[in-house]
Amino acid sequence: MIAIFRKKRVAVVCALVCLIAVLSILVWVPGAVPSAAERRKVPVYGVETDQNVVALSFDAAWGADKTAQIMDILEQYGARGTFFLVGFWVDHYPEMVKEIAERGHVIGNHSTNHLHMAKLDRAKMEEELRLTNEKIAALTGNAPQYFRAPFGEYNNSLIETADAMKMQTVQWSIDTLDWKGISGGEIADRVLANVKSGSIILCHNNSDHILEALPLILVGLQNKGLKAVGMDEVVMSSDFTIDANGIQKANKS
């Protein structure tokens, strides 16, 4: 009896294995891999480049009293910056928006209301970007080419929305954590310990110690043979790919 039971159990197991194999053949279709549209999209976090350049960027959502001084320091060291502006900041400081553009720095879009945009539907995402683009263009004559998501939160729909509006979504490879109130020296140390060609550095225009940190950062960059330039001199606009880590690379011919 034991022998018969074991044989039946083996037969049942074999039948199940065969059934699973048949179902796998029926379900699997050659080439059935996720399409490009289904794959996770990523913004530009940094750039692979042989140019000794980095992008210093400043998110502007609250306050503007240090912005002119930031530009003074940048220009003192022959540097350019990129300012990602929120729509309500543009409403409060239109003359500063004009000054940023007139002084040759890059302006990016940081949404209209600084919302958690990955939670929005596509129409609301488009509205958040469009309204700020229109406000900036009305003041400067040019709509932004770059978008940075509030809180660094994004999904495929948000990146696709920015793409459709001819904007590149840009994050950062170095977070200064200046918003935490750390000292200027600590901010600079965070940058200089991690910076390399193609780095994108996140700062905030009204953080507590940004004015003390900037000269230290700029001198440190010069000592490393690096120059702070606008986002348009670091991020490629065509003929590139972005790897899974968000590193933008030129396509090889």
Side-chain angles (χ1 to χ4, degrees):
M1 289 294 294
I2 294 175
I4 293 172
F5 176 75
R6 285 178 176 170
K7 287 180 180 179
K8 287 183 177 179
R9 186 171 63 180
V10 170
V12 170
V13 171
C14 289
L16 288 172
V17 170
C18 291
L19 179 61
I20 291 169
V22 170
L23 289 174
S24 297
I25 293 171
L26 292 173
V27 172
W28 180 76
V29 178
V33 296
S35 67
E38 295 169 332
R39 296 190 188 112
R40 178 174 173 268
K41 298 179 184 295
V42 293
V44 178
Y45 280 83
V47 179
E48 183 179 272
T49 178
D50 57 5
Q51 302 298 307
N52 295 323
V53 294
V54 301
L56 269 172
S57 62
F58 304 85
D59 289 1
W62 293 275
D65 55 300
K66 299 175 184 177
T67 307
Q69 291 170 278
I70 287 172
M71 291 188 284
D72 290 343
I73 295 169
L74 290 172
E75 292 158 21
Q76 179 183 345
Y77 289 89
R80 293 172 70 219
T82 300
F83 293 82
F84 285 94
L85 310 182
V86 174
F88 58 69
W89 193 94
V90 174
D91 293 337
H92 290 150
Y93 308 107
E95 293 307 312
M96 186 58 67
V97 177
K98 293 178 185 177
E99 184 175 345
I100 292 169
E102 289 166 358
R103 294 175 70 165
H105 301 285
V106 178
I107 293 177
N109 185 322
H110 197 34
S111 82
T112 295
N113 294 295
H114 208 271
L115 304 175
H116 293 276
M117 292 187 65
K119 298 179 180 180
L120 305 179
D121 62 34
R122 192 72 170 258
K124 186 62 177 176
M125 289 177 182
E126 189 275 337
E127 180 182 73
E128 282 283 312
L129 297 182
R130 176 179 53 78
L131 291 176
T132 294
N133 273 1
E134 290 173 354
K135 291 174 182 181
I136 292 170
L139 292 168
T140 69
N142 295 295
Q145 299 177 34
Y146 307 101
F147 165 66
R148 175 172 286 158
F151 311 105
E153 298 175 356
Y154 63 89
N155 57 15
N156 282 13
S157 292
L158 185 55
I159 295 176
E160 289 164 0
T161 299
D163 287 346
M165 299 177 73
K166 310 300 182 186
M167 285 189 291
Q168 290 179 277
T169 305
V170 177
Q171 295 281 80
W172 56 85
S173 55
I174 299 174
D175 186 349
T176 62
L177 298 182
D178 59 347
W179 56 273
K180 286 191 170 184
I182 61 178
S183 70
E186 290 173 305
I187 293 169
D189 287 345
R190 285 187 60 83
V191 173
L192 299 174
N194 298 288
V195 72
K196 61 182 180 179
S197 296
S199 291
I200 298 173
I201 303 162
L202 170 65
C203 306
H204 295 81
N205 73 308
N206 220 42
S207 57
D208 290 343
H209 301 291
I210 190 61
L211 296 180
E212 299 97 277
L214 263 183
L216 300 175
I217 292 171
L218 292 164
V219 168
L221 291 176
Q222 289 179 352
N223 290 340
K224 288 176 175 286
L226 298 169
K227 182 176 182 180
V229 298
M231 200 68 68
D232 55 344
E233 295 182 70
V234 178
V235 174
M236 291 171 269
S237 59
S238 61
D239 199 24
F240 63 84
T241 55
I242 302 173
D243 70 17
N245 296 314
I247 302 303
Q248 186 187 48
K249 303 177 181 181
N251 293 332
K252 296 180 180 178
S253 55

